[in-house]
């Protein structure tokens, strides 16, 4: 889209006639038009119009497409009304001659030397009885890594990622796929050189078309999206988390790194009991002692799946502690062989089957 800002009015043919001053004493506006996609009104400001250079990577210049259009039928010279434009903005020529009804490029560039917002106002003047026109120049310097933005595509619209990318909840031994998208929000083209998971995690992997050997140039202003496809195949019912790391270079070969976290839940039972161990202590023979515990399932159950049923599969009993026994202890005597006369009467007592 090309924005056009009328700075003056054209004359209806022939030579240009002198113009009357306005009733308040102000001179009339010069008869030229500034055109370009980054031109707009200075909303909330006091300048006549505004050029927004957007987000530009530090130490990387950006020059928008701008034109001065002469609406008069005679030549018109446009020049800076004050000192040259100061850094980080620059205007190579401080005087431009416009032919009658001509269209001439206006070269203004923005090359931030540091991060942050920049704002300055310049003024143009012309030949003849015209006043000045002020132009506000605004732009933001960003680090190279901040040029990339992660997000999702919803109905064709890019929705920036404001938290970790959530892959679908997936049952154990099943798999799911989701897409994380990357775009370049700066005014400079950037080159993606590598995309990977920071740490290899079993159950989570990146898929998709590999980057070319020399990297992939990502167009500026969010004009192009790169899809990062994630495969999630949980091995156990737990939370999986990783960082997707994107490496790249700015136009001046400044390396950068950008990352986004991804997270997924493995579906299945997640049993936890409180307490997780029971100590029955010493219990007399044929006495009963009861202790209780509570178990809960905090597993992720995807919508539409069969409800999970929990049951006790088995109990693990720790072996009894070994107690030191003296030779004269009653316990040792009780475990000795029965007297001979009783053993003759009933040998099953001397060698019970459950002792074998």
């Amino acid at each position: 889209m090309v924005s056009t800002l009328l700075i003056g009015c054209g004359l209806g043919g022939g030579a240009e006639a002198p113009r009357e001053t306005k009733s308040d004493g102000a001179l009339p506006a010069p008869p030229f038009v500034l055109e370009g996609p980054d031109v707009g009104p200075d909303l909330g400001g006091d300048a006549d119009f505004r050029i927004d250079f957007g987000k530009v990577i530090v130490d990387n210049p950006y020059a928008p497409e701008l034109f001065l259009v002469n609406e008069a039928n005679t030549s018109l010279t446009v020049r800076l009304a004050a000192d040259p434009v100061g850094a980080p903005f620059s205007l190579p020529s401080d005087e431009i001659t416009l032919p009658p009804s001509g269209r001439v490029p206006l070269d203004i560039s923005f090359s931030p030397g540091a991060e942050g917002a920049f704002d300055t106002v310049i003024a143009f003047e012309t030949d003849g009885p015209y006043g000045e026109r002020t132009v506000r120049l605004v732009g933001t310097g960003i680090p190279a890594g901040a040029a990339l933005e992660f997000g999702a595509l919803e109905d064709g619209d890019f929705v920036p990622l404001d938290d970790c990318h959530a892959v679908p909840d997936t049952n154990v031994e099943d798999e799911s796929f989701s897409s994380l998208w990357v775009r370049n929000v700066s005014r400079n083209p950037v080159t993606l050189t590598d995309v990977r998971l920071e740490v290899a995690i079993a159950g989570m992997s990146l898929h998709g078309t590999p980057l070319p050997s020399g990297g992939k140039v990502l167009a500026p202003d969010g004009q192009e999206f790169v899809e990062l496809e994630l495969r999630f195949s949980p091995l156990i019912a737990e939370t999986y988390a990783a960082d997707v790391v994107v490496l790249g270079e700015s136009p001046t070969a400044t390396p950068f790194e950008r990352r986004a976290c991804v997270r997924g839940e493995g579906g299945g039972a997640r049993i936890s009991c409180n307490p997780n161990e029971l100590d029955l202590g010493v219990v007399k023979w044929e006495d009963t002692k009861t202790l209780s515990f509570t178990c809960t399932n905090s597993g992720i159950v995807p919508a539409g799946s069969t409800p999970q049923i929990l049951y006790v599969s088995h109990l693990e009993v720790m072996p009894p502690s070994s107690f030191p026994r003296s030779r004269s202890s009653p316990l040792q005597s009780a475990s000795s062989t029965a007297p001979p006369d009783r053993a003759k009467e009933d040998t099953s007592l001397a060698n019970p089957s459950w002792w074998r």
Side-chain angles (χ1 to χ4, degrees):
M1 176 180 179
V2 175
S3 301
T4 300
L5 239 163
L6 184 63
I7 303 179
C9 56
L11 297 179
E16 181 181 355
R19 299 194 175 191
E20 299 293 336
T21 58
K22 297 181 180 180
S23 58
D24 59 0
L27 293 173
F32 65 82
V33 174
L34 180 62
E35 293 182 347
D38 298 316
V39 177
D42 188 27
L43 299 176
D46 55 3
D48 295 312
F49 56 96
R50 173 189 184 107
I51 302 175
D52 190 350
F53 292 81
K55 298 177 180 178
V56 176
I57 299 174
V58 171
D59 295 328
N60 287 260
Y62 168 68
E65 187 179 45
L66 299 170
F67 294 93
L68 287 175
V69 180
N70 184 4
E71 291 196 328
N73 294 325
T74 58
S75 296
L76 185 67
T77 299
V78 178
R79 67 180 66 85
L80 285 173
D83 296 332
V85 179
F89 303 96
S90 64
L91 178 64
S93 176
D94 58 1
E95 183 174 295
I96 301 173
T97 299
L98 305 180
S101 304
R103 190 170 186 262
V104 176
L106 175 64
D107 296 325
I108 302 180
S109 63
F110 172 52
S111 182
E115 299 175 29
F118 297 88
D119 184 324
T120 190
V121 175
I122 61 175
F124 290 101
E125 63 182 7
T126 64
D127 294 332
Y130 302 107
E132 295 180 351
R133 276 306 203 188
T134 53
V135 183
R136 184 177 301 277
L137 309 178
V138 296
T140 303
I142 62 171
L148 296 187
E149 184 176 54
F150 293 93
L153 281 183
E154 297 181 3
D155 298 327
D157 295 328
F158 189 92
V159 180
L161 185 68
D162 57 3
D163 198 356
C164 288
H165 171 70
V167 302
D169 298 334
T170 306
N171 286 326
V172 171
E173 299 182 353
D174 200 353
E175 66 178 7
S176 63
F177 293 86
S178 64
S179 294
L180 179 64
W181 297 83
V182 181
R183 69 175 180 178
N184 173 17
V185 296
S186 78
R187 295 295 176 91
N188 310 104
V190 296
T191 302
L192 306 185
T193 57
D194 190 20
V195 179
R196 56 180 171 78
L197 290 178
E198 182 180 32
V199 178
I201 296 180
M204 191 172 281
S205 58
L206 272 173
H207 291 257
T209 304
L211 296 176
S213 58
K216 175 178 175 54
V217 178
L218 194 56
D221 292 330
Q223 301 173 19
E224 184 180 8
F225 304 136
V226 171
E227 181 180 14
L228 308 179
E229 188 179 44
L230 287 156
R231 176 179 178 268
F232 183 40
S233 53
L235 305 179
I236 59 176
E238 67 174 11
T239 300
Y240 288 72
D243 274 359
V244 174
V245 179
V246 178
L247 303 179
E249 292 181 349
S250 72
T252 55
T254 302
F256 67 83
E257 174 185 299
R258 187 72 165 171
R259 61 183 59 213
C261 60
V262 294
R263 182 175 291 120
E265 300 289 346
R270 301 185 187 184
I271 310 301
S272 59
C273 297
N274 186 27
N276 59 8
E277 183 177 286
L278 295 177
D279 184 0
L280 296 173
V282 178
V283 182
K284 294 182 179 180
W285 181 258
E286 295 184 348
D287 279 359
T288 300
K289 186 175 183 179
T290 302
L291 296 178
S292 62
F293 59 94
T294 301
C295 291
T296 57
N297 173 23
S298 60
I300 303 298
V301 183
S305 62
T306 304
Q308 296 173 330
I309 300 176
L310 305 183
Y311 60 91
V312 177
S313 60
H314 65 283
L315 293 175
E316 293 185 1
V317 181
M318 301 295 292
S321 302
S322 301
F323 294 96
R325 302 167 183 167
S326 62
R327 293 183 179 180
S328 59
S329 68
L331 184 59
Q332 186 180 27
S333 300
S335 63
S336 61
T337 306
D341 54 346
R342 185 173 181 180
K344 292 179 181 180
E345 296 176 4
D346 188 357
T347 57
S348 63
L349 294 177
N351 299 286
S353 60
W354 47 267
W355 186 265
R356 297 169 190 166

